[in-house]
Amino acid sequence: MNTIRTFIASALMALTCTSALADDYKYLTVDQNSGEVSFEVSNITKITFDATNMVLHLADGKTQQLPLAGLSRMFFAATSSGIAEVDATKSKIQFSDGMLRATVAPGENLTLYNMKGEQVFSSSETGTFDLKTLTKGVYIVKVGKETRKVINK
């Protein structure tokens, strides 16, 4: 009986400490087969599970379903990825509504990678490129020395 009480008390303390630590982080990062995806903790109101998915209930009333079959780990992080944030006003790369706009200087290349590290697009010209046909998800764009993460929704 004493062992059970000790176990329950330890479990409750661990949950309390984990909850307190999570408050220090801005992102919940989920590692899936298709790559790593981050969600702002402040936008998540609840996390539930059904038979096949982890369901994130978001502050705007929407839900995001993540298949449990492809889920390898999830963790809280201070940043959304290993790629630093950049000032978009000085950026050679701009992404919105499925369109990638990039300024490519002579001798530079624009390269787009999926989260597996596979190159899915390349160009040596400045232009606007339609990404709407690519699979939805996170991509890494590199132009010269600048690297950005973009999300194709």
Side-chain angles (χ1 to χ4, degrees):
M1 188 70 163
N2 233 0
T3 306
I4 294 172
R5 284 186 189 158
T6 304
F7 174 76
I8 292 172
S10 298
L12 288 173
M13 284 178 37
L15 286 173
T16 303
C17 291
T18 303
S19 175
L21 290 174
D23 291 343
D24 293 338
Y25 296 107
K26 292 176 63 175
Y27 297 93
L28 169 65
T29 301
V30 179
D31 214 352
Q32 296 182 289
N33 292 341
S34 59
E36 198 174 90
V37 182
S38 296
F39 301 92
E40 286 189 45
V41 172
S42 62
N43 289 336
I44 301 171
T45 59
K46 180 170 59 168
I47 301 173
T48 60
F49 296 87
D50 62 24
T52 58
N53 297 303
M54 177 173 76
V55 183
L56 301 179
H57 300 265
L58 306 176
D60 62 4
K62 296 180 182 177
T63 59
Q64 177 74 44
Q65 295 190 2
L66 303 166
L68 291 174
L71 181 68
S72 59
R73 69 183 177 134
M74 59 187 233
F75 56 92
F76 292 98
T79 60
S80 60
S81 74
I83 298 172
E85 297 294 324
V86 296
D87 183 352
T89 60
K90 298 178 183 176
S91 177
K92 297 179 181 183
I93 304 164
Q94 297 164 351
F95 181 78
S96 65
D97 300 323
M99 302 300 285
L100 174 67
R101 291 166 193 79
T103 303
V104 182
E108 290 183 339
N109 285 315
L110 172 140
T111 310
L112 181 68
Y113 301 94
N114 64 19
M115 293 307 293
K116 294 179 184 177
E118 301 166 333
Q119 180 178 319
V120 295
F121 180 78
S122 180
S123 177
S124 59
E125 298 180 16
T126 294
T128 302
F129 308 97
D130 186 351
L131 296 183
K132 294 175 188 170
T133 59
L134 292 175
T135 304
K136 295 179 185 209
V138 178
Y139 292 86
I140 303 299
V141 182
K142 183 175 182 190
V143 176
K145 294 181 180 180
E146 182 179 346
T147 305
R148 298 261 325 260
K149 176 177 70 171
V150 296
I151 300 174
N152 188 27
K153 296 180 181 181

